[in-house]
Amino acid sequence: MAAVRRYDILDTPPDGAYDRVAALAARLFEVPVATVTIVDEDRIWFKATHGLEGVTEIGRDPGLCASAVLTDDPTVIPDTLVDPIACSNPLVAGPMGVRFYAAAPIITADGYRLGTVNVLDTRPREISEADSATLADLAAVVRDQLELRLSALHVVRAEQERRKVEQDKRQAEEEARQRAERDKTAIAAFASTLQRTLVPPALPAVPGLELACHYQTASPQEVGGDFYDVFPVDGGRWAFFLGDVCGKGAEAASVTSLTRYTLRAAALVDADPTAALKALNTALLLDAAVGTRFCTAIFGLLDPAPDGGFTVTLATGGHPPAYHLSPTEDGGVRVEAVRAKGGMLVGAFAEAAFASRTLHLAPGQGLLLYTDGLTEARTADGDMLADTGLTDFLAQRSATVGAGRLIDDTVALLDTLPDTERDDVALLALSVPAPDAAPAGITTTAHSAAAPTADASVGQENRRP
């Protein structure tokens, strides 16, 4: 019975190959009826019939096929009426009146008998040993056909399984891709949200000063380590800073947060820029959570001047120079790198020394601060922009040195550079409007930002009311 189930042949639709075996048997033995049967547990099922229309199965007991399938050799009953088992069979005792029956078992290669190939006649008769051998050969043909069918089933099932595996694999890959996209979006949203907590939501309105900034992270999935801020101190003075923490990610973000609030707190106690950097250096070295992370920073103090400009005191801690821009009489721009010699990295050494320098930011003049993601950006030739490239770019601009225009032009420069190996970039620009440019007290604050794509900026933009 297990072998019968293995071939999965029971109750299958008619098949021309088996029908031809039944027809060939009837013709070779010159009998009116021939069948190909499979013996089930409680029935004889006809896979093919010749001369026996409308019959698909009969009971197993008492049965001619049920007896014939028990032997390895062909069974021959010359006269069914004198056979004690065959005489009571419905095909013999019934209207059909079968008087002759011969069958050969269908035997599998591993020795299991599945059913029989049968020939029946309505008159008694004898057959020779050669005829018995022929009947056995027809049973072997049926066996071979069953093996071919089983092999084909295995191939089809294997192909179906392969397709199912491939489909499951594609589905799993698609689900994994969708999860990755969702995770990527969630990470980008988290990073963007965290990033916004590390920079001011908007720059303040400083009387007589135009401010603009831009912040762009290298990847929307990472929190950048650059920072900046502008805030009031005392006596109408204002402080500002910009810097870059070593590294990226959550650890860098924690240092960024500590740096920003330490500088704010230090400036409220002592507005001297050098003192603020010393306080930050001490805080970074004492905080065990910071580890070996350090930062570069530039801290400035704005003191209103009688001419409507500002006296600016800049202290640096290992940071690139700021650029002081002044219009010239011939319509050009004079670009001066503001360097304070001797400023060391912040948070790297206990005895770090910091230097400061004072300049006058007169009406019509501007000041640009940036992180090294700008000067280390690569040009189309593969060379870094460097200080010389930035200086040349600033010098070739028009005489307008307003902070908003300065940031827009610098962002436009960044957009022309390849985005390979791009680092975070923070920009902060300050300018004093010329007397004929804007009424005193009008301030433009701009946070330039791109959409959150593969190399998105983070921030927001506020334009002149």
Side-chain angles (χ1 to χ4, degrees):
M1 288 301 97
V4 169
R5 301 294 183 268
R6 182 178 71 198
Y7 285 88
D8 198 15
I9 191 69
L10 289 171
D11 298 314
T12 56
D15 189 314
Y18 305 99
D19 292 340
R20 283 191 291 273
V21 170
L24 180 60
R27 187 163 59 249
L28 289 173
F29 287 88
E30 298 179 347
V31 296
V33 178
T35 62
V36 176
T37 62
I38 303 295
V39 179
D40 200 358
E41 293 180 358
D42 56 358
R43 61 173 176 160
I44 307 297
W45 180 74
F46 291 85
K47 176 58 183 171
T49 61
H50 177 84
L52 190 63
E53 305 301 329
V55 179
T56 58
E57 62 182 57
I58 60 174
R60 177 167 175 170
D61 296 321
L64 299 173
C65 297
S67 300
V69 81
L70 298 178
T71 65
D72 290 333
D73 299 318
T75 297
V76 179
I77 304 177
D79 188 347
T80 57
L81 292 181
V82 298
D83 187 273
I85 297 177
C87 64
S88 60
N89 188 277
L91 297 178
V92 177
M96 187 173 178
V98 173
R99 295 292 303 277
F100 167 77
Y101 173 79
I106 302 168
I107 304 175
T108 66
D110 51 355
Y112 293 103
R113 296 182 291 275
L114 306 177
T116 55
V117 174
N118 315 277
V119 289
L120 303 89
D121 201 348
T122 56
R123 60 185 179 84
R125 58 182 295 180
E126 297 284 348
I127 62 172
S128 65
E129 290 186 4
D131 291 336
S132 295
T134 299
L135 195 59
D137 288 340
L138 290 174
V141 170
V142 172
R143 178 202 62 201
D144 294 343
Q145 186 62 34
L146 287 171
E147 293 293 343
L148 289 173
R149 180 180 179 277
L150 183 60
S151 296
L153 283 176
H154 286 163
V155 171
V156 170
R157 288 167 180 168
E159 178 63 17
Q160 289 175 339
E161 182 63 25
R162 185 192 66 79
R163 290 182 180 180
K164 184 177 183 302
V165 169
E166 288 294 326
Q167 182 179 0
D168 292 344
K169 180 181 178 181
R170 288 194 297 269
Q171 183 177 353
E173 290 175 347
E174 177 61 19
E175 291 175 352
R177 185 193 66 78
Q178 292 177 358
R179 284 196 301 272
E181 288 295 330
R182 289 194 299 268
D183 291 345
K184 182 179 179 181
T185 301
I187 291 171
F190 171 77
S192 178
T193 300
L194 179 57
Q195 191 73 68
R196 286 195 295 270
T197 67
L198 302 177
V199 295
L203 296 179
V206 179
L209 190 69
E210 180 181 347
L211 295 170
C213 62
H214 175 81
Y215 193 32
Q216 177 175 306
T217 56
S219 167
Q221 280 76 47
E222 289 186 333
V223 182
D226 295 358
F227 58 90
Y228 59 86
D229 204 352
V230 180
F231 56 96
V233 282
D234 58 6
R237 296 187 299 175
W238 291 78
F240 62 92
F241 58 78
L242 178 141
D244 182 3
V245 171
C246 171
K248 298 181 181 63
E251 294 182 0
S254 65
V255 180
T256 299
S257 180
L258 173 63
T259 298
R260 182 182 173 206
Y261 290 109
T262 299
L263 288 176
R264 270 182 164 261
L268 295 177
V269 176
D270 186 348
D272 177 63
T274 302
L277 292 182
K278 287 182 178 179
L280 176 60
N281 188 69
T282 300
L284 292 179
L285 290 172
L286 290 177
D287 194 328
V290 172
T292 58
R293 291 187 180 272
F294 54 86
C295 71
T296 66
I298 184 166
F299 191 100
L301 182 65
L302 294 167
D303 198 348
D307 65 348
F310 292 86
T311 299
V312 183
T313 303
L314 285 177
T316 60
H319 199 78
Y323 281 97
H324 185 192
L325 286 76
S326 306
T328 60
E329 294 181 356
D330 59 359
V333 177
R334 182 171 61 87
V335 180
E336 177 188 2
V338 183
R339 291 184 172 87
K341 296 181 180 179
M344 302 172 67
L345 293 173
V346 186
F349 308 101
E351 301 299 327
F354 304 106
S356 65
R357 177 178 171 181
T358 300
L359 61 94
H360 182 63
L361 190 64
Q365 296 181 353
L367 189 66
L368 176 66
L369 288 73
Y370 58 93
T371 55
D372 57 11
L374 174 61
T375 51
E376 292 180 0
R378 299 281 177 175
T379 66
D381 296 331
D383 301 323
M384 286 196 302
L385 182 65
D387 292 342
T388 54
L390 180 58
T391 301
D392 292 343
F393 164 75
L394 294 173
Q396 293 169 6
R397 295 175 63 258
S398 66
T400 303
V401 293
R405 178 66 178 275
L406 183 57
I407 291 296
D408 288 343
D409 289 349
T410 307
V411 172
L413 169 65
L414 275 172
D415 290 341
T416 65
L417 302 178
D419 59 2
T420 56
E421 302 180 6
R422 181 71 63 86
D423 195 4
D424 303 333
V425 176
L427 306 173
L428 177 64
L430 308 82
S431 66
V432 179
D436 57 347
I442 297 297
T443 302
T444 298
T445 301
H447 284 212
S448 303
T453 56
D455 54 351
S457 305
V458 293
Q460 52 187 317
E461 184 167 330
N462 303 312
R463 289 301 183 188
R464 184 190 304 271

